[in-house]
Amino acid sequence: EIVLTQSPATLSLSPGERATLSCRASQSISNYLAWYQQKPGQSPSLLIYDASNRATGIPARFSGSGSGTDFTLTISSLEPEDFAVYYCQQRNHWPITFGQGTRLEIK
Amino acid sequence: EEQLLESGGTLVQPGGSLRLSCAASGFTFSSHDMNWVRQAPGKGLEWVSSFRASDGTTYYPDSVKGRFTISRDNSKNMVYLQMNSLRAEDTAVYYCGKSLIVALGTGPFDIWGQGTMVTVSS
C-alpha cells in the first residue's frame, strides 16, 4: 500500500499570503496525484488532478506540481474561502490512498 | 448539473448489515467509474470501493474486503454499497464519488455526494 504523508499537519497563514502544502509518497506514483479541499460540514471537492491539472472551475491561484514521490499544492494568494483541510490522493496503485490532510487555518 | 445523492445511512448493531444507495444525475452514468469513500468522525478520508465502468471490475481495501460489495444499475443510474458484518470502526460518513474519465486507471473523484452517516453501535 502506498502511504501518502502530508506536511505540515497545520499551516497558519493570513489572507493574501502564499501557501505551500506538501505530499510525499512512499514509492513512485508517476503523476497520478490529486488534491482535494474540504470545508467544515461539506463534502470534499477536487482541486487538482494528475499533479498539475486544475479541475473545472478551480481558480488560477491554485496550482500543483511534482512527480514521482514529491508533490506540492500552492495557493498563490490566500482568499478567506481557502481556509480548509486539504487532502492528497494517489490512483497509481490499488488500494487508492489519501494523505492524512493539512489544515490551513487563519493566522 | 452533475449530482450524486446518497441514502440509506442509519444506526446499526455490530454484526449487522446495511445497503447504501447513490443516485446519479446530470451525466452519462454508464461511462464513469463509481466509488465509495468514507470519513470517520473527525478523521481523514478513506477509500472504500470502486466499480470500473469498462469491465465491471471491483476493488476494495483490505479493511472491507469480503464484507462490503459495490454494485451498480446503469438502467437506474444507481450505485450501491452492501455492507455486512459491520464493526464499530465502520462508523463514518459514506460518500459516493464519480471518477473523471482518464486514459489509465480509475480517475480522480470530481463529483461527490453530500454523504450519508452510518453508525455501528449497540
Side-chain angles (χ1 to χ4, degrees):
Chain A
E1 171 175 321
I2 293 179
V3 176
L4 298 178
T5 303
Q6 293 186 239
S7 62
T10 303
L11 185 57
S12 300
L13 293 170
S14 301
E17 291 192 292
R18 181 184 187 89
T20 303
L21 287 68
S22 174
C23 179
R24 177 165 289 178
S26 58
Q27 64 187 81
S28 177
I29 56 171
S30 185
N31 67 328
Y32 295 129
L33 187 99
W35 291 93
Y36 298 86
Q37 177 192 68
Q38 187 177 32
K39 298 178 182 179
Q42 296 186 17
S43 306
S45 60
L46 179 65
L47 295 173
I48 301 286
Y49 67 96
D50 292 355
S52 61
N53 297 295
R54 274 190 301 276
T56 302
I58 301 304
R61 65 180 182 273
F62 291 92
S63 63
S65 63
S67 66
T69 61
D70 291 303
F71 301 86
T72 301
L73 173 69
T74 301
I75 310 171
S76 59
S77 180
L78 285 166
E79 297 288 340
E81 62 267 28
D82 298 337
F83 292 91
V85 179
Y86 293 83
Y87 295 95
C88 58
Q89 175 226 347
Q90 67 81 25
R91 64 177 185 89
N92 193 50
H93 300 284
W94 298 102
I96 291 171
T97 50
F98 289 89
Q100 82 281 12
T102 289
R103 180 178 305 276
L104 178 56
E105 64 177 27
I106 299 176
K107 186 173 183 179
Chain B
E1 181 186 3
E2 299 181 356
Q3 287 189 334
L4 298 171
L5 183 63
E6 304 94 336
S7 61
T10 189
L11 172 65
V12 61
Q13 292 191 338
S17 297
L18 196 61
R19 188 177 86 153
L20 305 182
S21 300
C22 172
S25 61
F27 61 96
T28 306
F29 179 77
S30 60
S31 298
H32 291 267
D33 298 350
M34 294 299 296
N35 313 275
W36 289 94
V37 175
R38 68 184 179 184
Q39 187 169 36
K43 302 298 184 182
L45 302 172
E46 180 187 13
W47 168 73
V48 171
S49 184
S50 294
F51 194 117
R52 298 297 309 275
S54 58
D55 61 5
T57 304
T58 57
Y59 297 87
Y60 308 90
D62 287 347
S63 58
V64 308
K65 194 175 295 182
R67 300 189 299 123
F68 289 12
T69 302
I70 188 172
S71 62
R72 63 192 292 165
D73 184 338
N74 288 341
S75 69
K76 296 181 179 179
N77 288 0
M78 296 288 295
V79 61
Y80 306 99
L81 186 68
Q82 178 67 41
M83 303 186 294
N84 299 330
S85 303
L86 282 162
R87 307 166 180 167
E89 54 265 36
D90 296 319
T91 294
V93 174
Y94 284 73
Y95 296 103
C96 174
K98 162 187 164 283
S99 281
L100 272 177
I101 294 175
V102 292
L104 291 175
T106 193
F109 310 151
D110 66 328
I111 301 296
W112 296 64
Q114 86 293 344
T116 187
M117 182 71 202
V118 174
T119 303
V120 184
S121 175
S122 54

